Amino acid sequence: MNVLTENFSTYGEGFLGTVELTVYASLLALVLGFLMASCRVAPVGSFRAIGTAWVTLLRNTPLTLLFFAVLLGLPRFGLVLPFKVFAVLALGCYTSAFICEALRSGINTVPKGQGEAARSLGMNFGQTLSNVVLPQAFRSVIAPVGSNLIALAKNSAIAGAFSVTELLGTYKTLNELGYSIIWTFVWIAIGYLIITLAISAIFNILEKRWGVAR
């Protein structure tokens, strides 16, 4: 216990850093995922091409490489931001591709007749998607979206290699101070477990309330 009690502030700072990364990147991933899913099912070919390109590029790019591209590449184009913001961009954009596909799979479960009926009533694509299709699709994608956000929380550990304060990075400080590396990682693992269980609990509540009955 002395590893935790004597370094509680260090663990706390890293824990809060991981929570911040997870929350902000999750919000970005959900927004971008929704936009890209809308593009993927849009009746306009150019929009579908944009959504397909986004998903194909990000799903097939290693997250570490994406971190390098964002944190080291964007400043070369004059975009200089705090490293934490760059980390949120990398995590959010990467996860949005998986959120997009989860949403698209949910949209595909909605019978085509629903959309056709909405259009026969004079609704445009945006109205049909937001008022008819997505409310039904949402019920079937709660679990996969939650799984993707749990993966995002664990992927945030990569940010520590780029000078971003997060939970896994605390091991460097404690290792230099001579603390047991085993117990250092035990408490780090417990910290990640708390975060992922919290996300899981939230989505379990959502699924029990709005999920599709099996």
Side-chain angles (χ1 to χ4, degrees):
M1 286 293 294
N2 67 310
V3 176
L4 177 65
T5 56
E6 294 175 9
N7 300 279
F8 192 78
S9 61
T10 301
Y11 274 113
E13 186 178 2
F15 181 83
L16 291 177
T18 295
V19 170
E20 286 182 5
L21 283 174
T22 301
V23 171
Y24 293 137
S26 295
L27 293 175
L28 179 62
L30 289 171
V31 172
L32 289 177
F34 167 75
L35 292 176
M36 290 301 113
S38 300
C39 288
R40 292 275 275 166
V41 299
V44 181
S46 58
F47 285 171
R48 291 198 302 272
I50 291 172
T52 300
W54 180 272
V55 170
T56 301
L57 177 63
L58 291 175
R59 288 183 74 188
N60 294 286
T61 300
L63 182 55
T64 304
L65 180 60
L66 186 59
F67 263 88
F68 275 111
V70 172
L71 274 77
L72 303 180
L74 292 182
R76 292 180 177 270
F77 295 95
L79 185 59
V80 180
L81 297 169
F83 275 12
K84 180 170 285 188
V85 177
F86 282 135
V88 168
L89 287 174
L91 282 169
C93 290
Y94 178 79
T95 308
S96 70
F98 297 90
I99 298 290
C100 169
E101 289 302 272
L103 291 176
R104 188 171 71 93
S105 67
I107 291 172
N108 289 336
T109 64
V110 179
K112 292 183 179 180
Q114 298 282 333
E116 293 172 354
R119 287 192 293 273
S120 70
L121 294 174
M123 293 185 182
N124 57 32
F125 172 74
Q127 292 172 327
T128 301
L129 190 66
S130 60
N131 296 325
V132 178
V133 177
L134 281 179
Q136 298 180 71
F138 168 75
R139 300 179 65 195
S140 63
V141 302
I142 295 174
V145 168
S147 297
N148 284 321
L149 295 186
I150 288 174
L152 183 154
K154 293 184 288 186
N155 287 337
S156 67
I158 297 176
F162 297 89
S163 302
V164 177
T165 301
E166 51 79 43
L167 188 56
L168 182 61
T170 58
Y171 90 90
K172 300 176 184 177
T173 301
L174 300 185
N175 188 45
E176 291 173 356
L177 294 174
Y179 287 96
S180 168
I181 193 67
I182 295 176
W183 284 105
T184 297
F185 278 114
V186 165
W187 290 113
I188 288 173
I190 291 173
Y192 278 107
L193 186 62
I194 292 171
I195 294 172
T196 54
L197 286 179
I199 297 173
S200 179
I202 291 171
F203 278 86
N204 282 337
I205 293 172
L206 293 176
E207 191 170 18
K208 288 179 181 178
R209 184 167 184 178
W210 287 302
V212 177
R214 301 295 182 183

